Amino acid sequence: MITSAEERLLAGLVRAIRMNSRGWVDAVEAVSEDGVPIAHESDNPSFNSEYVAAAAAAVCGAISAVIELMGAKGYKRFNIQLDDGRFILIRQYRGYYVVCLTRPNPNLGYVELLLEAYLSE
């Protein structure tokens, strides 16, 4: 259950991103840095928010380690292109991760603009 005001804000952002994606985003999830699912939106009944949250936190931790080893200061976002033409887009937002799964061959520019509009500080 969502308890804090910040978590309610994240739930609203997740809902708004999915609703305004014009069908390009299949699923959106907000995840804490330690892998706890905060909020998710998806029509896919097989979407497992706990597995997605744990995996996203692990991937983000690994990327942070690589970036640190390379002497860089950090990152704000990264994209993963899947073999079937979909993308996984991960953004850092106020100490959380926002994870989006697109539909195949999305209008990636539109999805990027949408994420920037909702997740810019």
Side-chain angles (χ1 to χ4, degrees):
M1 181 170 178
I2 297 174
T3 56
S4 75
E6 190 162 72
E7 290 176 351
R8 286 191 299 276
L9 169 72
L10 283 167
L13 287 173
V14 164
R15 190 174 310 107
I17 289 168
R18 180 88 197 302
M19 282 179 32
N20 292 302
S21 71
R22 297 183 182 172
W24 293 115
V25 173
D26 192 36
V28 184
E29 180 161 9
V31 178
S32 71
E33 287 184 327
D34 59 351
V36 176
I38 304 299
H40 71 275
E41 287 284 326
S42 175
D43 291 334
N44 186 344
S46 67
F47 182 84
N48 188 321
S49 65
E50 290 183 9
Y51 289 154
V52 171
V59 167
C60 291
I63 288 174
S64 293
V66 169
I67 288 172
E68 188 175 313
L69 290 170
M70 297 178 75
K73 291 186 178 186
Y75 70 95
K76 293 186 181 199
R77 64 185 182 162
F78 65 92
N79 299 347
I80 302 167
Q81 185 174 6
L82 304 176
D83 286 341
D84 62 1
R86 296 182 299 164
F87 286 82
I88 297 172
L89 310 166
I90 300 179
R91 303 292 181 266
Q92 291 186 349
Y93 181 73
R94 296 184 180 184
Y96 297 89
Y97 303 118
V98 176
V99 182
C100 292
L101 175 65
T102 70
R103 301 279 166 113
N105 306 309
N107 181 339
L108 197 54
Y110 178 79
V111 176
E112 293 274 7
L113 285 172
L114 183 66
L115 292 176
E116 183 66 25
Y118 281 103
L119 303 177
S120 64
E121 296 285 336

